[in-house]
């Protein structure tokens, strides 16, 4: 048959070969596909029961929620149910921490997956969470900013953007505007609900339920009013200006590329439109031609609009920012004035609402604000003047005081962060020998509004307001293409809030709580307005215990309404009333007993699911309920279930039972790490020192079984003779004695601290953000398995496609820098360094530092292998004063390496002879422990492979990350190699041997 087949045309050979195969081969192939499908369904059922099952212990495992949304992405009913379920419990710290941790995956699905859906389910969820935390809204804003730059029609150098995607571009711009509107509009009804609760007219449970409904309503109105009318890329470009349209018309335009050579170009007539804080340039008017397309665009926020200097032609003006320059000509001076007026207003005061909440575009045409709105068909209609064209200032003036304050905070915080990265951007264009001299002056000029912070934190981390900068301490790293800048800030904690309400001071308020108290609490009666008129004249008095939203349980709302004549009985009453707590703890108040509708177990699932269904008046999707019921009736023992799953070869179903992976946070939970201030515990927010209001400086001192003499020797080599704690103590003392700062420091803050970050520009940090997330995930996996494996997770914030902030690693230096240090031994390598610094091998300090080295080496060996981290030279590996290794710079990951297939990095991870010598060699107890922990960590990683693979698969979808694109790593290649590194097809009994083979 082979000879006959070879004579056939190539197109027929494959069919002939398949026809010639035995019949049982086709049956086996079909059976294999069926087995994979069955296993995939088993995985979905496992996820459902892990989230909603009766044995879930009332937790909401966010890693499995994200996996459920991804697995059921083709079923809107399931996605919507999951989004509403998580929003219900978002007020629990653990749940909210999970939402923020998996924000990269959530945002990626909202941008790329939901763009083609008929309903903006996940967008509404993000808007609900944004109302809960302004910090979450800011983080989402920066992700969207980077995506806009990915998909914009023109690159900064003036060339067409090869990644331009009208659908994603349109979606990101509208999402960015929706987030801002959601933040500013807030939850206005919650103030009325608070008043009703204080008056005893509604219960605590009703207050919470109505507050949740209010947030959902606002999100629904905002999302529905800006929903794209078309789901295709062709319709997206034309629909960009249909919702947020402000002004438009024809202008003469000559392209000007700032970074290239000047070429003689002709003036062309182009249609320009201002919408959604963007300036769009169309080849023709969208209203006149269905084939209209965007040829370029630029963001207007912070742009400079000015007359062209020494114009060659009349009526010329230009618009430019750091990346773009548009030079245009109007028909006459009047039209030029209109355009410049519109653009200047748009660049300074951002339009919060292109239309009123709950109001469609047509209805808005006759009101004062709606005059600037037009349907897509009416885009070509221009208005009479620039003042009439832009009425966002009128909208802002119409905001309530609390809405106005949220608007100003949201804008000022973004401007502040942009200014930080702008310093690094400006310095990189200066001569390298001048950068160090210029940096302090630029930092000195930074402006600090009343309420800004360095957003390198979670919503549940301690709030620290940025007060000023230690500009003299500014340092720069000189490279050819970049100028990373190290910045130090003086921050305040425990400042008095709401002076007009009697005030409060709490040094342990987290970011979300502070912003909630600062911007969500109703305006006082003296402020006037509707809230003032409705302010309650009654007050709550406590009977037996302190009254707080966070500790009242259902059925415990026992309080009495005091008459007006009792208002002056106790001065302390003035500061009582409703404690507008933001977080709920999972205590008895959250446990739900059986209701009348839960007879004979007819309502399946855990208590949280039952509570959600009963209170939300919603129906459990069939695909969820069916799987809960199937799992309930399954007779498979857990081991048999695991064995059944292991038979599958698909990466989605290769492993067994999914344990919950609580994300390990960096914040200190140990009371021993807390200080005492006026009888209250002050949680340490970092490794630096703290300045108290009375001028006392408390230093952070943690020996970790290493004596002080050894640490002094280490700091002399590693950190220039001064630890970060000593450095910050010195800086705080200088600030407290400075005449300029002393009065400011003593005003309101209970404590002051130093915060240090690195600002970067001309560097895309988004892949590093994702790799750090995966390292953080594996750190949590090892902690859940009770393994002492050590990994350092630090904050990385990408604020755009090429700017961002990075947390500074204190008391550490690179291995390369260590070996070049003055005190480093000339012979003997790192072993000699350890003995010189920490003492004899038998000493307690040496053994502690050696163990620290080994534990960190295990951690980074595992993640380097699993995540395919490359470019692991000594400049990208740090070591601190306690002997821990810390890897940095993850530009090459998932097998992507410098030189690609010609890379010299062939080892699974870096384990040099220098490292082996520190651990006493191959036959030592230290190295034996290294091998034991490596195998145990690898087994723990395999046990959580479902979630890890899912996180990578989500971010790989429509990805622009270098490690997921191109012929070498795209089209699922990186994911397949990740799966292979996990050895999912290898039986458990052979894993130990294979893992050990990776070491030697």
């Amino acid at each position: 048959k082979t000879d006959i087949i070879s004579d056939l045309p190539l197109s027929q050979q494959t069919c002939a070969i398949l026809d010639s195969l035995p019949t049982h081969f086709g049956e086996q192939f079909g059976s294999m596909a069926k087995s994979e499908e069955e296993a995939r369904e088993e995985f979905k059922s496992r996820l459902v029961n892990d989230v909603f099952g009766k044995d879930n212990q009332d937790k909401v495992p966010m890693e499995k929620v994200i996996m459920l949304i991804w697995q059921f992405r083709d079923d809107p009913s399931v996605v919507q149910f999951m989004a509403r379920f998580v929003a219900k419990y978002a007020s629990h710290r653990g749940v909210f921490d999970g939402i923020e941790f998996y924000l990269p995956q959530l945002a990626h699905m909202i941008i790329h997956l939901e763009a083609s859906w008929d309903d903006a389910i996940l967008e509404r969820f993000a808007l609900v969470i944004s109302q809960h935390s302004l910090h979450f809204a800011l983080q989402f804003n920066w992700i969207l900013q980077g995506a806009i730059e990915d998909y914009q029609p023109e690159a900064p150098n003036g060339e067409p953007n090869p990644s331009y995607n009208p659908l994603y571009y349109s979606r990101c711009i509208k999402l960015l505007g929706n987030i801002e509107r959601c933040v500013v509009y807030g939850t206005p009804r919650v103030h009325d609900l608070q008043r009703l609760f204080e008056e005893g007219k509604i219960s605590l449970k009703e207050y919470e339920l109505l507050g949740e409904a209010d947030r959902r309503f606002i999100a629904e109105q905002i999302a529905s009013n800006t929903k794209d009318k078309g789901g295709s890329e062709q319709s997206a470009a034309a629909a960009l200006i249909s919702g947020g349209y402000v002004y438009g018309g024809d202008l003469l335009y000559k392209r000007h590329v700032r970074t290239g050579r000047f070429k003689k170009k002709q003036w062309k007539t182009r249609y320009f439109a201002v919408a959604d804080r963007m300036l769009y340039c169309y080849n023709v008017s969208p209203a006149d031609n269905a084939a209209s397309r965007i040829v370029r665009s630029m963001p207007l926020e912070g742009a400079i609009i000015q007359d062209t200097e020494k114009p060659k032609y009349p009526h010329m003006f230009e618009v430019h920012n750091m990346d773009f320059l548009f030079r245009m000509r109007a028909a006459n001076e009047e039209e030029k004035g209109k355009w410049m007026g519109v653009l200047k207003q748009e660049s300074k005061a951002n339009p919060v609402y292109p239309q009123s909440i709950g109001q469609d575009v047509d209805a808005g045409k006759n009101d004062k604000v709606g005059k600037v709105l037009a349907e897509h068909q009416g885009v070509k209609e221009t208005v009479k003047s620039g003042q009439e064209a832009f009425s966002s200032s009128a909208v802002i003036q119409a905001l309530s005081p609390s809405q106005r304050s949220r608007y100003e905070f949201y804008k000022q915080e973004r401007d502040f962060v942009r200014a930080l990265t702008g310093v690094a951007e400006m310095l990189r264009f200066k001569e390298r020998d001048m950068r160090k001299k210029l940096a302090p002056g630029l930092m000195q000029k930074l402006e600090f509004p009343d309420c800004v912070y360095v957003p390198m934190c979670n919503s549940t981390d301690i709030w620290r307001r940025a007060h000023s900068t230690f500009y003299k301490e500014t340092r720069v790293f000189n490279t050819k293409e970049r100028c990373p800048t190290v910045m130090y800030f003086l921050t305040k904690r425990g400042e008095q809030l709401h002076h007009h309400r009697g005030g409060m001071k709490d040094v342990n308020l987290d970011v979300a709580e502070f912003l909630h108290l600062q911007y969500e609490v109703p305006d006082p009666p003296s402020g006037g307005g509707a809230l003032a008129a409705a302010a309650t004249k009654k007050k709550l008095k406590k009977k037996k215990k302190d009254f707080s939203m966070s500790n009242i349980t259902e059925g415990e709302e026992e309080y009495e309404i005091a008459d007006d004549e009792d208002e002056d009985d106790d001065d302390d009453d003035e500061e009582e009333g409703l404690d507008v707590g933001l977080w709920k703890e999972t205590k008895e108040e959250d446990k739900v007993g059986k209701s009348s509708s839960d007879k004979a177990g007819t309502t399946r699932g855990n208590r949280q699911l039952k509570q959600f269904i009963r209170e939300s008046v919603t129906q459990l999707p069939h695909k969820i309920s069916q799987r809960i019921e199937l799992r309930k009736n399954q007779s498979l023992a857990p081991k048999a279930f695991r064995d059944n799953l292991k038979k599958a070869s698909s990466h989605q179903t290769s492993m067994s039972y999914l344990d919950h992976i609580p994300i390990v946070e960096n914040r200190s939970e140990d009371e021993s790490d807390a200080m005492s201030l006026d009888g209250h515990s002050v949680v340490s927010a970092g490794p630096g020192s703290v300045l108290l209001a009375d001028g006392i400086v408390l230093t952070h001192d943690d020996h970790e079984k290493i004596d002080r003499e050894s640490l002094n020797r280490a700091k002399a080599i590693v950190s220039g003779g001064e630890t970060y704690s000593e450095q910050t103590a010195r800086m705080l003392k200088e600030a407290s004695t400075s005449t300029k700062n002393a009065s400011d420091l003593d005003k309101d803050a209970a404590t002051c601290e130093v915060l240090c970050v690195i600002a970067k520009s001309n560097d895309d940090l988004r892949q590093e953000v994702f790799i750090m997330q995966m390292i953080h995930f594996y750190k949590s996996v090892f902690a859940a398995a009770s393994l002492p494996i050590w990994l350092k997770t630090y904050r990385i914030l990408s604020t755009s496609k090429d700017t961002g902030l990075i947390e500074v690693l204190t008391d550490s230096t690179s291995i390369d820098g260590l070996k070049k240090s003055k005190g480093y031994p000339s012979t003997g390598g790192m072993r000699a360094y350890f003995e010189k610094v920490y003492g004899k091998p038998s000493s307690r300090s040496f053994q502690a530092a050696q163990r620290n080295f080994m534990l960190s080496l295990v951690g980074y060996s595992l993640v380097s292998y699993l995540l395919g981290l490359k470019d692991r030279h000594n400049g990208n590996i740090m070591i601190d004063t306690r002997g821990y290794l810390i890897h940095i710079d993850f530009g090459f990951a998932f097998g992507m390496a410098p030189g690609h297939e010609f890379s010299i990095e062939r080892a699974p991870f870096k384990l040099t002879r220098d490292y082996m010598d520190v651990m006493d060699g191959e036959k030592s107890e230290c190295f034996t422990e290294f091998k034991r922990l490596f195998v145990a960590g690898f087994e723990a990683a395999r046990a959580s492979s479902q979630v890890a693979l899912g996180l990578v698969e989500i971010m790989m979808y429509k990805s622009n990350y270098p490690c997921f694109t191109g012929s070498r790593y795209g089209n699922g290649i990186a994911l397949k190699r990740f799966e292979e590194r996990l050895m999912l097809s290898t039986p458990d009994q052979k894993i130990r041997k294979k893992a050990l083979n990776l070491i030697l």
Side-chain angles (χ1 to χ4, degrees), residues 3 88 196 202 285 355 582 614 637 954:
D3 294 336
K88 164 74 177 176
L196 293 174
I202 59 175
S285 170
Q355 58 211 51
L582 185 66
R614 185 174 68 249
I954 293 172

Side-chain angles (χ1 to χ4, degrees), residues 503-744:
M504 66 165 292
K505 300 180 71 172
D506 186 347
V507 293
N508 293 329
L509 278 177
D510 63 39
V511 174
E513 287 174 326
F514 179 90
L515 295 177
H516 174 77
L517 289 168
Q518 186 78 357
Y519 297 112
E520 294 295 339
V521 176
D523 299 307
S526 60
L531 287 173
T536 178
K537 295 181 180 180
K538 299 180 179 181
K539 301 171 62 173
L540 302 177
K541 281 193 173 182
K542 296 177 283 185
K543 277 187 174 182
K544 296 180 179 180
K545 60 181 181 179
D546 291 339
F547 174 71
S548 170
M549 279 185 63
S550 61
N551 59 25
I552 293 182
T553 63
E554 192 172 10
E556 292 182 342
E557 297 140 299
E558 297 181 2
Y559 49 84
E560 59 186 15
I561 306 298
D563 294 330
D564 290 345
E565 59 267 26
D566 294 334
E567 289 186 5
D568 298 327
D569 289 351
D570 190 353
D571 293 337
D572 293 337
D573 285 348
E574 194 62 27
E575 295 187 17
E576 290 178 6
L578 178 63
D579 178 6
V580 284
L582 185 66
W583 305 116
K584 292 173 57 180
E585 303 299 332
T586 307
K587 298 180 181 178
E588 292 298 322
E589 69 267 25
D590 299 317
K591 295 186 177 181
V592 184
K594 285 189 176 183
S595 64
S596 58
S597 62
D598 190 20
K599 297 178 181 179
T602 55
T603 302
R604 296 178 296 276
N606 56 28
R607 287 187 292 247
Q608 285 176 308
L609 178 61
K610 295 174 184 178
Q611 180 183 10
F612 171 69
I613 292 176
R614 185 174 68 249
E615 294 179 354
S616 302
V617 196
T618 189
Q619 186 176 1
L620 191 65
H622 176 68
K623 290 185 179 180
I624 298 292
S625 62
Q626 183 185 37
R627 282 173 167 80
I628 295 178
E629 184 175 19
L630 286 173
R631 186 61 189 162
K632 178 180 177 182
N633 295 331
Q634 280 177 350
S635 59
L636 289 174
K639 186 177 185 305
F641 176 73
R642 292 195 293 269
D643 293 341
N644 188 38
L645 281 181
K646 289 176 185 177
K647 295 178 183 178
S649 60
S650 169
H651 74 267
Q652 291 287 358
T653 55
S654 300
M655 289 304 293
S656 57
Y657 176 79
L658 294 174
D659 291 327
H660 175 43
I661 308 298
I663 300 302
V664 176
E665 295 298 336
N666 291 328
R667 68 177 69 95
S668 173
E669 300 291 348
D670 190 350
E671 285 298 325
S672 64
D673 290 337
M675 299 166 286
S676 178
L677 178 65
D678 297 333
H680 299 285
S681 176
V682 181
V683 178
S684 176
S689 300
V690 176
L691 173 66
L692 304 183
D694 55 7
I696 298 176
V697 176
L698 301 179
T699 58
H700 184 87
D701 193 9
D702 185 7
H703 289 220
E704 288 189 3
K705 300 182 180 179
I706 301 178
D707 60 56
R708 172 55 57 191
E709 290 76 14
S710 297
L711 290 177
N712 286 338
R713 290 192 292 268
K715 77 177 181 181
I717 301 175
V718 172
S719 51
E722 186 179 45
T723 66
Y724 184 71
S725 178
E726 294 168 345
Q727 179 189 14
T728 54
R730 170 179 56 80
M731 294 164 66
L732 289 171
K733 288 178 181 177
E734 292 174 358
S736 64
T737 56
S738 170
T739 306
K740 181 178 179 180
N741 293 327
S743 59
D744 289 338

